[in-house]
Amino acid sequence: MKILVPIKRVVDYNVRVRPTTDQTAVEISNAKMSMNPFDEIAVEEAIRLKEAGIASEVVVASFGVKQCQETIRTALAMGADRGIHVETDVDLQPLSVAKLLKAIVDNENPRIVILGKQAIDDDANQTGQMLASLLNWGQGTFACGINVESETVVVTREIDGGTQTLSLKLPAVITTDLRLNEPRYAKLPDIMKAKKKPLESFSPEDLNVDISPRLKLLEVSEPPKREAGVIVADVVELLDKLRNEAKVI
Amino acid sequence: MSVLVIADHNNSVLNVATLSSITAANQLSDDVDVLVAGKNCQAVADSVSKISGIKSVLICDNDVCEAQLAENIAPLVHQLAEKYSYILSAATTTGKNLMPRVAALLDVAQISDIISIESEDTFKRPFYAGNVIATVQSTDTKTVITVRSTAFSAAISTDTAAPIETIAAPSDSGLSKLVSEELTKSERPELTAADVVISGGRGLGNKENFKIIEDLADSLGAAIGASRAAVDAGFVPNDYQVGQTGKIVAPKLYIAVGISGAIQHLAGMKDSQVIVAINKDADAPIFQATDYGIVGDLFKIVPELIEALNNR
């Protein structure tokens, strides 16, 4: 069984971004970039399924600028088998990514696509569901547990009220939540080996996919700032402030 | 210009988050219909029909809709979408699961988690964990939107009921089925709708110690939340998590206990009216987001606070 893992190159989760001075974009020119943490969890899960003898091959795919190949190499160092890069400078929105992924699924025929539930840059939480929709496959979003059987996959999902378990017909799309697993760190010898693993590159035109953005980004601004608070000495002062100044209790 | 709002419900009760989506819908148009898809969900449709600002309620009550699987509900919404300019839902896990599937069927973009409506095609939404606010404009003919509930007030109920129209069942996709659900049972207020939220973090140390958060919540009639660290460590279930990828809350009073204040946590609570933090580390980033902070040992301060509250 082949597993496809789409991965996104994003600003590292420790970086606090700001708008550019002209407020038309997010300032990321010198920011540290990493693999989207939810996608790391997806890569880890796919590798574990291979180690358990369930998956036969783990293919990772990333779309965007040339440097996405570094993110693909990171996944290959973790243990994925080969990479696919679709190179473009166009701002890729979730619908475009889902369409590119559909084209790759049509070529590669994986049984499971597993990806992060959201990217920590645009926080859209759309791509997996859109891909499942375009493919007319079942979807197991926000997964915290996965059990692959012969014709189905049982997915436990984190939902607002607790958890929910679904049985999906294969092939299916799964999106990862935080508690599915703890991703491994790649070891140095594996990082060296990853440089020799196959990595194919395509253009969106090669895949015959229209990636024109549907949403225009008009402005990027900082959220309203909170006024600086005070440190109070003790519980008595805190309760006095909450009762008489803030009037919330 | 008409709007279809997808109701979030559990077949017996409407999720209050839907009330905020209806308020957002009314900012776009006076012509708002609400879809209630489920099984034995007539009571939900009845309560929705009495919400102010609604033209009609569409009820789709049958076996296929019972578990509200995205694979079955998305084609139903797609089929209804023809006569609507906007499709809205709350940004709950149900809405987040369903709406992108609808958007892809319609071949349109989705705008997730809007916090304001600037014009008929322009919306504000947070990204990068709320560190920046984007103003985005849709170029599609239809717009699929999820609504951040804390950013819109709840629509109110009226005495007059809107008409309820019955919709035929969609066919079962056969792609997925519900196996089971494990829902957290609690007598406390719902986390995203509570006036007061007490959240605990890694500073609690272990699951047993988390009980003092429960005691404090009892003193204030509050809901309980947690940081990711506390959930990952198994102190509390996943549905307690407040933050970028968990729940977004904006209560009147938010008390963060033993939470350092990672940006991912702040993303979920920084719109609270008053924020209090109790932490032993005076340099913890949480204090930059608080109105009132106490630096000290939470195992000493929280019991003092409970005692003072219980003696009032």
Side-chain angles (χ1 to χ4, degrees):
Chain A
M1 163 182 308
K2 190 193 285 185
I3 299 184
L4 175 67
V5 187
I7 56 178
K8 186 174 185 182
R9 180 176 180 267
V10 297
V11 174
D12 187 83
Y13 76 100
N14 278 314
V15 176
R16 191 167 199 145
V17 299
R18 294 214 149 71
T20 52
T21 43
D22 64 359
Q23 298 211 317
T24 57
V26 178
E27 181 59 65
I28 59 165
S29 48
N30 292 312
K32 183 188 175 197
M33 304 297 283
S34 302
M35 192 190 307
N36 178 38
F38 289 97
D39 297 341
E40 277 186 324
I41 294 170
V43 172
E44 175 67 32
E45 194 67 17
I47 295 167
R48 287 187 190 185
L49 287 170
K50 190 178 172 195
E51 288 167 349
I54 295 164
S56 54
E57 187 183 28
V58 176
V59 180
V60 294
S62 192
F63 311 148
V65 294
K66 183 93 186 165
Q67 292 88 333
C68 290
Q69 295 195 2
E70 295 164 14
T71 313
I72 293 175
R73 292 290 173 197
T74 303
L76 296 176
M78 287 171 72
D81 296 299
R82 63 187 168 88
I84 297 171
H85 177 217
V86 178
E87 189 172 344
T88 175
D89 292 333
V90 174
D91 164 40
L92 288 174
Q93 295 177 351
L95 185 62
S96 304
V97 175
K99 288 179 176 179
L100 289 169
L101 285 170
K102 179 177 186 297
I104 287 174
V105 168
D106 289 344
N107 290 338
E108 294 279 343
N109 293 309
R111 289 283 275 172
I112 296 177
V113 179
I114 179 165
L115 67 165
K117 75 168 182 180
Q118 77 192 66
I120 60 164
D121 50 6
D122 63 11
D123 284 332
N125 194 333
Q126 299 173 8
T127 303
Q129 296 90 313
M130 285 181 161
L131 175 64
S133 183
L134 296 175
L135 291 165
N136 195 28
W137 289 7
Q139 65 186 48
T141 52
F142 328 143
C144 59
I146 294 174
N147 190 9
V148 182
E149 294 165 358
S150 62
E151 295 303 317
T152 56
V153 56
V154 176
V155 177
T156 301
R157 313 173 52 227
E158 294 196 359
I159 59 170
D160 284 341
T163 59
Q164 177 189 67
T165 302
L166 299 179
S167 171
L168 308 174
K169 200 170 110 182
L170 288 173
V173 174
I174 297 168
T175 76
T176 60
D177 216 315
L178 291 168
R179 280 161 285 274
L180 183 59
N181 61 49
E182 271 193 52
R184 69 194 67 190
Y185 290 100
K187 297 190 192 79
L188 188 59
D190 295 327
I191 294 169
M192 302 309 289
K193 265 190 261 173
K195 292 181 178 165
K196 298 204 177 84
K197 288 184 178 176
L199 198 171
E200 282 178 286
S201 198
F202 298 98
S203 72
E205 295 74 34
D206 291 338
L207 298 169
N208 200 17
V209 175
D210 173 13
I211 55 164
S212 35
R214 304 293 187 84
L215 301 177
K216 284 189 206 159
L217 186 58
L218 301 183
E219 188 190 56
V220 175
S221 59
E222 293 209 44
K225 285 215 166 32
R226 292 187 78 92
E227 285 187 33
V230 294
I231 298 292
V232 296
D234 53 25
V235 163
V236 175
E237 189 185 352
L238 175 66
L239 288 174
D240 176 60
K241 296 275 190 194
L242 292 178
R243 284 193 183 115
N244 302 316
E245 192 174 85
K247 298 186 167 55
V248 287
I249 57 169
Chain B
M1 302 275 276
S2 52
V3 188
L4 179 65
V5 175
I6 316 301
D8 187 326
H9 64 93
N10 64 359
N11 288 329
S12 51
V13 181
L14 182 72
N15 184 332
V16 291
T18 301
L19 300 175
S20 303
S21 306
I22 292 170
T23 299
N26 274 131
Q27 289 181 19
L28 290 163
S29 169
D30 294 333
D31 193 351
V32 175
D33 293 344
V34 181
L35 172 68
V36 177
K39 189 182 178 197
N40 297 330
C41 55
Q42 184 67 44
V44 178
D46 289 343
S47 70
V48 170
S49 74
K50 290 182 190 128
I51 297 168
S52 167
I54 289 176
K55 207 182 84 191
S56 65
V57 181
L58 313 179
I59 182 169
C60 189
D61 189 331
N62 49 69
D63 290 342
V64 179
C65 293
E66 182 171 15
Q68 300 178 40
L69 299 164
E71 294 84 348
N72 289 342
I73 306 293
L76 172 70
V77 176
H78 178 219
Q79 173 206 319
L80 293 170
E82 196 179 337
K83 59 177 191 173
Y84 296 97
S85 305
Y86 304 93
I87 321 285
L88 262 66
S89 147
T92 54
T93 48
T94 310
K96 288 173 179 174
N97 186 49
L98 170 68
M99 296 300 266
R101 201 166 172 112
V102 172
L105 288 175
L106 291 165
D107 192 28
V108 300
Q110 174 179 312
I111 306 179
S112 297
D113 238 349
I114 62 161
I115 55 169
S116 79
I117 297 169
E118 302 295 304
S119 74
E120 62 183 33
D121 61 2
T122 304
F123 307 87
K124 287 196 177 182
R125 61 174 301 260
F127 52 48
Y128 288 90
N131 281 312
V132 288
I133 306 296
T135 307
V136 294
Q137 183 178 37
S138 168
T139 61
D140 288 313
T141 50
K142 283 186 200 299
T143 312
V144 173
I145 291 169
T146 62
V147 177
R148 179 169 289 198
S149 304
T150 54
F152 295 87
S153 60
I156 53 167
S157 289
T158 62
D159 293 335
T160 48
I164 300 176
E165 182 189 334
T166 300
I167 301 288
S171 54
D172 188 348
S173 73
L175 297 172
S176 60
K177 61 173 192 271
L178 176 65
V179 176
S180 61
E181 277 187 336
E182 272 192 51
L183 303 179
T184 306
K185 289 187 188 71
S186 172
E187 300 297 315
R188 295 196 175 83
E190 210 273 309
L191 181 53
T192 54
D195 281 342
V196 182
V197 173
I198 318 291
S199 280
R202 197 197 307 268
L204 271 302
N206 61 47
K207 191 173 180 171
E208 290 66 41
N209 290 344
F210 210 89
K211 185 167 183 309
I212 66 168
I213 298 294
E214 294 172 20
D215 294 343
L216 180 55
D218 289 341
S219 300
L220 284 162
I224 296 179
S227 68
R228 177 188 172 184
V231 179
D232 284 0
F235 300 174
V236 286
N238 63 277
D239 49 305
Y240 284 45
Q241 187 176 323
V242 171
Q244 180 186 16
T245 71
K247 289 193 174 133
I248 308 292
V249 301
K252 289 195 179 114
L253 173 62
Y254 186 91
I255 304 183
V257 182
I259 292 177
S260 63
I263 54 175
Q264 290 81 6
H265 183 74
L266 300 181
M269 45 60 90
K270 65 183 177 182
D271 293 326
S272 305
Q273 194 181 322
V274 174
I275 299 175
V276 172
I278 301 168
N279 201 297
K280 65 180 178 197
D281 177 7
D283 295 325
I286 189 79
F287 287 120
Q288 290 163 25
T290 52
D291 300 283
Y292 307 110
I294 299 190
V295 179
D297 179 5
L298 70 91
F299 296 109
K300 180 174 162 286
I301 293 164
V302 174
E304 281 177 14
L305 193 52
I306 294 167
E307 198 188 341
L309 286 165
N310 291 351
N311 289 339
R312 68 187 149 161

